[in-house]
Amino acid sequence: MARGEGAEQYSNASLLQKPSPDGIKLAAKRESKGRLSVCNKLCYAVGGAPYQITGCAIGFFLQIYLLDVALLDPFYASIILFVGRAWDAVTDPTVGFLISRSPWTRFGRMMPWIILSTPFAVLCYFLIWYVPSVEQGKVVWYLIFYCSFQTLQTCFHVPYSALTMFISTEQKERDSATAYRMTVEVLGTLIGTAVQGQIVGMANAPCISSGEDLNSTDLQVTPGVNITEPHVSLEHLRNAYMIASGVICSIYVVCAVVLFLGVKEQKETCRVRTEPMSFFQGIRMVMGHGPYAKLVMGFLFTSLAFMFLEGNFALFCSYTLGFRNDFQNILLVIMLAATLAIPFWQWFLTKFGKKTAVYIGTTSVVPFLISVVLVPSSLIVTYIASFAAGVSVAAAFLLPWSMLPDVVDDFKVQNPESQGHEAIFYSFYVFFTKFASGVSLGVSTLSLDFAGYVTRGCTQPAEVDLTLKILVSAAPIVLIIIGLLIFISYPIDEEKRQGNRKLLNEQRENEIDSEADSTENNAV
């Protein structure tokens, strides 16, 4: 793909101009400011944990919570799950657009959004896991607080994602900070799974036979069903979900404070050099950039595949595999493997390139998706397959956020006169990720409803078992194949990435020379 005329002009100009001594000093000063300490990177990385902790808890447990704890009809649960995510169709791009027009403050341009949204976000998150006493108002309750939390979390996560471009001008430093961030974010999924799963698992209410009252909060253990377990009431299970949400809310606040205290935005890197554009102009701009559109569409399908796996794995383990009392430990193994594999994938993409890492990392999960369905139910086999799948999950976490800065840099090279739109690029990617999650949860729950899912039943109909196998194996495999086919046409390989980096450095040197000349003229 040919670069824009503006990029050629910058490249030609850089060949004709030799940096002045003042320009060299300014360049050295900017380079030193572009370096990030380990403490800076860690504090930046910690800021990504809240999104993953809450997202993991919601992704793994909200579906089973609405069905078996809040006792909602599967049809209404599917509406809540889909509408909550679809609401991001409005909030994500809108917040990205508003951030791009936000003025600079003494705390930066991103930090005020992050800090001000935090207290309201944790309140809404806590109320998602509370079961209201009014039976008729449950659906409205969960819709309001689920949509409110999605909006407030968008106000946190979109500016945090865009902050990648503002913490340093050096691509190497941004890639390094992204690796730190992905490690902490996968660790966040581990924490979310451990906190939610272990606390809830200790209060796992027994299943019930047909004919019992689903709304009873003091269900006795029926003969022949988990008779060795102590009696646990539904009320205890609901309290366990609230305790887990309280712990997660506390972690959310601590992470936001660490991010605020440990990271400083660089004003030079985030000033807007172009006239503000309208909302729809911004949409046309980002979606009209070919590499960005291909990257987003490719990861939309691969993300949707992992979302189907995430959203249905708890039910699959509980009912299809029969590991009702072990599913939280199986989920923990997946997240532990993902956490340990992040450094490996960071090394791999550095050694062999990001596009190669996409193909290897994403396809590595396919054999284990097949084995977990075809191999007879075995707890040991399930643990092994889950650990191997977690290695692929790590690649799915790391690669999108590592490749997004490359696309933004490519846009800057092709459009050197149009700058300051990073938040719009990141907000649309966040939207597509959440949209994939909403589609997966909504379609999954609706499919289970059609298959005849029995709320808190000890067993499920054969149609439900077949549906769960499709949702955790066949559907993800097909979506992964579609996503990888799209990536074939993704144009930014290692050669072009390095070429873009060189051109951006040349642009920056020209700006430094201009600043140096301006300083000299003012001195005269």
Side-chain angles (χ1 to χ4, degrees):
M1 183 181 291
R3 296 185 175 91
E5 295 180 0
E8 294 178 1
Q9 292 173 1
Y10 270 103
S11 181
N12 294 334
S14 65
L15 295 174
L16 298 174
Q17 297 178 7
K18 184 178 180 180
S20 65
D22 288 336
I24 294 175
K25 291 180 181 179
L26 284 171
K29 183 178 179 182
R30 283 194 173 188
E31 184 178 356
S32 64
K33 289 185 68 175
R35 294 195 186 98
L36 299 173
S37 67
V38 173
C39 181
N40 291 143
K41 294 175 184 177
L42 285 174
C43 290
Y44 167 73
V46 165
Y51 177 74
Q52 296 301 338
I53 292 174
T54 56
C56 184
I58 288 175
F60 279 131
F61 294 95
L62 186 58
Q63 183 186 48
I64 198 170
Y65 167 81
L66 293 176
L67 294 173
D68 289 358
V69 180
L71 304 180
L72 291 180
D73 182 90
F75 175 75
Y76 292 117
S78 67
I79 291 176
I80 292 169
L81 294 170
F82 179 75
V83 171
R85 294 292 185 170
W87 177 247
D88 287 330
V90 177
T91 59
D92 277 301
T94 302
V95 169
F97 171 73
L98 293 175
I99 291 172
S100 69
R101 297 172 68 95
S102 297
W104 174 267
T105 70
R106 67 191 186 103
F107 299 112
R109 187 150 59 98
M110 304 295 162
M111 283 299 178
W113 287 85
I114 294 172
I115 295 302
L116 293 177
S117 65
T118 295
F120 302 102
V122 297
L123 176 62
C124 291
Y125 179 81
F126 181 79
L127 293 175
I128 289 174
W129 304 99
Y130 173 75
V131 180
S133 57
V134 181
E135 190 68 27
Q136 300 299 323
K138 282 183 180 179
V139 176
V140 176
W141 174 279
Y142 290 117
L143 271 175
I144 290 174
F145 287 108
Y146 189 37
C147 290
S148 298
F149 173 71
Q150 294 298 338
T151 302
L152 292 164
Q153 191 181 52
T154 296
C155 294
F156 182 103
H157 191 61
V158 169
Y160 172 75
S161 300
L163 195 62
T164 307
M165 303 298 297
F166 302 150
I167 57 177
S168 175
T169 58
E170 298 298 319
Q171 187 183 63
K172 182 178 180 181
E173 292 297 309
R174 294 202 305 259
D175 286 345
S176 177
T178 298
Y180 275 79
R181 172 189 167 188
M182 291 301 106
T183 303
V184 173
E185 286 196 359
V186 176
L187 182 61
T189 65
L190 181 65
I191 294 172
T193 305
V195 171
Q196 191 86 3
Q198 298 304 313
I199 293 177
V200 170
M202 290 188 295
N204 190 19
C207 59
I208 61 175
S209 302
S210 59
E212 292 190 67
D213 182 12
L214 287 176
N215 293 311
S216 172
T217 58
D218 194 30
L219 296 173
Q220 300 292 330
V221 180
T222 57
V225 178
N226 298 330
I227 57 176
T228 60
E229 294 185 357
H231 165 69
V232 179
S233 71
L234 180 59
E235 191 63 34
H236 291 157
L237 184 58
R238 290 175 174 175
N239 289 337
Y241 271 98
M242 291 184 65
I243 293 171
S245 68
V247 173
I248 290 175
C249 286
S250 301
I251 298 173
Y252 194 119
V253 173
V254 170
C255 291
V257 172
V258 170
L259 174 66
F260 176 73
L261 296 178
V263 176
K264 180 177 177 59
E265 292 182 50
Q266 296 184 19
K267 187 173 183 179
E268 307 85 48
T269 64
C270 63
R271 68 175 183 270
V272 180
R273 297 198 294 263
T274 57
E275 292 295 324
M277 62 177 60
S278 70
F279 175 73
F280 292 104
Q281 285 177 325
I283 294 177
R284 287 194 297 268
M285 177 194 68
V286 297
M287 297 311 296
H289 187 57
Y292 178 79
K294 292 172 183 177
L295 181 74
V296 168
M297 291 305 297
F299 278 123
L300 172 63
F301 283 98
T302 57
S303 296
L304 190 57
F306 284 98
M307 294 295 179
F308 270 113
L309 179 63
E310 176 188 68
N312 296 282
F313 204 68
L315 291 172
F316 178 75
C317 291
S318 298
Y319 294 112
T320 303
L321 298 182
F323 304 136
R324 184 181 182 88
N325 300 318
D326 297 288
F327 78 88
Q328 68 271 14
N329 298 323
I330 296 172
L331 298 179
L332 198 59
V333 168
I334 294 176
M335 293 300 105
L336 178 61
T339 304
L340 297 176
I342 283 288
F344 166 76
W345 288 117
Q346 177 64 24
W347 168 83
F348 189 94
L349 66 87
T350 303
K351 182 75 173 178
F352 300 102
K354 297 179 181 180
K355 198 169 179 178
T356 303
V358 169
Y359 287 109
I360 302 298
T362 307
T363 55
S364 63
V365 74
V366 173
F368 304 102
L369 293 180
I370 296 174
S371 66
V372 79
V373 171
L374 297 183
V375 175
S377 178
S378 167
L379 188 58
I380 295 177
V381 172
T382 302
Y383 274 121
I384 295 173
S386 298
F387 186 90
V391 175
S392 185
V393 169
F397 268 94
L398 175 64
L399 291 170
W401 298 111
S402 179
M403 297 171 76
L404 268 173
D406 300 337
V407 174
V408 177
D409 285 344
D410 186 72
F411 177 84
K412 289 180 177 180
V413 167
Q414 297 191 34
N415 303 272
E417 301 301 325
S418 181
Q419 304 291 325
H421 308 302
E422 293 86 353
I424 299 178
F425 280 94
Y426 278 83
S427 67
F428 270 94
Y429 178 73
V430 172
F431 155 65
F432 281 116
T433 303
K434 292 182 179 179
F435 178 78
S437 177
V439 169
S440 66
L441 288 172
V443 170
S444 299
T445 311
L446 203 57
S447 299
L448 292 173
D449 185 29
F450 290 149
Y453 179 83
V454 180
T455 301
R456 296 187 66 207
C458 294
T459 59
Q460 297 292 339
E463 292 81 2
V464 172
D465 288 339
L466 177 60
T467 301
L468 287 171
K469 288 180 180 179
I470 293 173
L471 292 174
V472 302
S473 181
I477 291 173
V478 171
L479 291 168
I480 286 172
I481 293 173
I482 295 174
L484 294 181
L485 289 175
I486 294 174
F487 273 116
I488 293 175
S489 61
Y490 178 68
I492 302 179
D493 53 16
E494 287 304 298
E495 181 180 356
K496 183 167 185 178
R497 189 170 74 90
Q498 295 298 332
N500 286 342
R501 179 182 180 183
K502 181 179 179 181
L503 285 171
L504 286 175
N505 287 336
E506 291 170 353
Q507 292 178 17
R508 196 171 295 118
E509 287 174 2
N510 288 330
E511 292 176 1
I512 291 171
D513 284 340
S514 298
E515 290 183 14
D517 292 340
S518 177
T519 302
E520 290 175 357
N521 292 334
N522 291 335
V524 173

